Amino acid sequence: MQVDELVAVWLRDGRPHRLVWGSRRFRVTDSPTRLGSDLPDSFLDAMAFTHPPRLAVGWRFQATCDDGDARVFDIRWDDHRGVWQLLRTFE
């Protein structure tokens, strides 16, 4: 399911450890995988010489809540707003 919502994320050693989405707390139950490439497509744009792009931090991981609901989450840090954004979730 494609989603575009804000979520609360807690990190441990720079990786997602917990997430709150829809008033439900999920704990990460696998090893998070970094999403995205090292250089965005816009890196070669002329604007990149005067306004270098910021690399997006994104993660994919499985997390489980207390009632046993397990999902895979794709999240990304929105540097402009200073928030975590939920991109997709898979049951």
Side-chain angles (χ1 to χ4, degrees), residues 4-80:
D4 186 12
E5 296 179 19
L6 301 182
V7 290
V9 177
W10 286 261
L11 304 177
R12 179 179 284 171
D13 299 324
R15 295 172 171 258
H17 176 66
R18 288 187 301 146
L19 169 125
V20 172
W21 173 54
S23 300
R24 297 172 71 200
R25 183 178 65 181
F26 290 82
R27 294 185 188 277
V28 176
T29 52
D30 75 347
S31 296
T33 303
R34 186 179 279 282
L35 292 178
S37 60
D38 291 335
L39 294 176
D41 293 337
S42 64
F43 185 74
L44 299 178
D45 291 346
M47 288 292 292
F49 291 111
T50 57
H51 298 85
R54 292 182 183 234
L55 301 180
V57 175
W59 296 97
R60 174 175 284 172
F61 53 88
Q62 177 182 302
T64 307
C65 68
D66 290 339
D67 67 6
D69 183 19
R71 296 173 178 261
V72 174
F73 293 93
D74 287 354
I75 63 170
R76 177 181 60 203
W77 175 250
D78 183 335
D79 200 40
H80 295 289

